[in-house]
Amino acid sequence: MSKTYKNYFPLPNVIFSLNLSPGEIAVYSYLLYCEDRKTYQCYPSYKTIGRAVGMSINTVQKYIAALGEKEFISIEPTSVITKSGQKRNGSYRYTIRPIQEVVESYHQRQLRKLEIKAARSRLTAKATP
């Protein structure tokens, strides 16, 4: 007889080899926990994330920005219409990118860094008589 477990979510093993800080891993893990498995999106506030992972709002903002820069997530502002008809800022919508795309992007960034380093080394070698 097979058991169905519903109180877990998948965390890709490869995230431990992509140079994420412990804080980035914690925030990313929480976003995975919150995501809708059909749309790959979630809407937790900075405050909600902070409470869940034991961080201040400013620290959560920093890690969210880093995850966006590293292309683990896309971040979109949302808006809401109040009962009085006013448009207000809503929560951010986070879309979790497929891990294969994240890994490919990481490798491309690493390759660019190596190419820049090699070019600098060649320039230094030419400049030194």
Side-chain angles (χ1 to χ4, degrees), residues 26-28 30-35 41-65 67 73 75-78 80 89-94:
V27 171
Y28 181 68
Y30 186 73
L31 293 176
L32 285 174
Y33 164 77
C34 294
E35 89 172 322
Q41 296 178 339
C42 58
Y43 301 82
S45 68
Y46 292 141
K47 186 176 183 180
T48 300
I49 297 168
R51 265 191 261 128
V53 298
M55 295 177 191
S56 71
I57 290 172
N58 288 341
T59 302
V60 169
Q61 288 174 323
K62 176 180 86 170
Y63 290 134
I64 289 288
L67 290 168
I73 60 174
I75 307 161
E76 302 170 68
T78 62
V80 294
N89 291 334
S91 296
Y92 284 103
R93 174 179 27 235
Y94 305 106

Side-chain angles (χ1 to χ4, degrees), residues 79-99:
S79 58
V80 294
I81 306 296
T82 64
K83 288 181 182 179
S84 62
Q86 294 180 319
K87 187 176 180 178
R88 300 279 183 175
N89 291 334
S91 296
Y92 284 103
R93 174 179 27 235
Y94 305 106
T95 303
I96 311 299
R97 295 195 54 231
I99 196 64

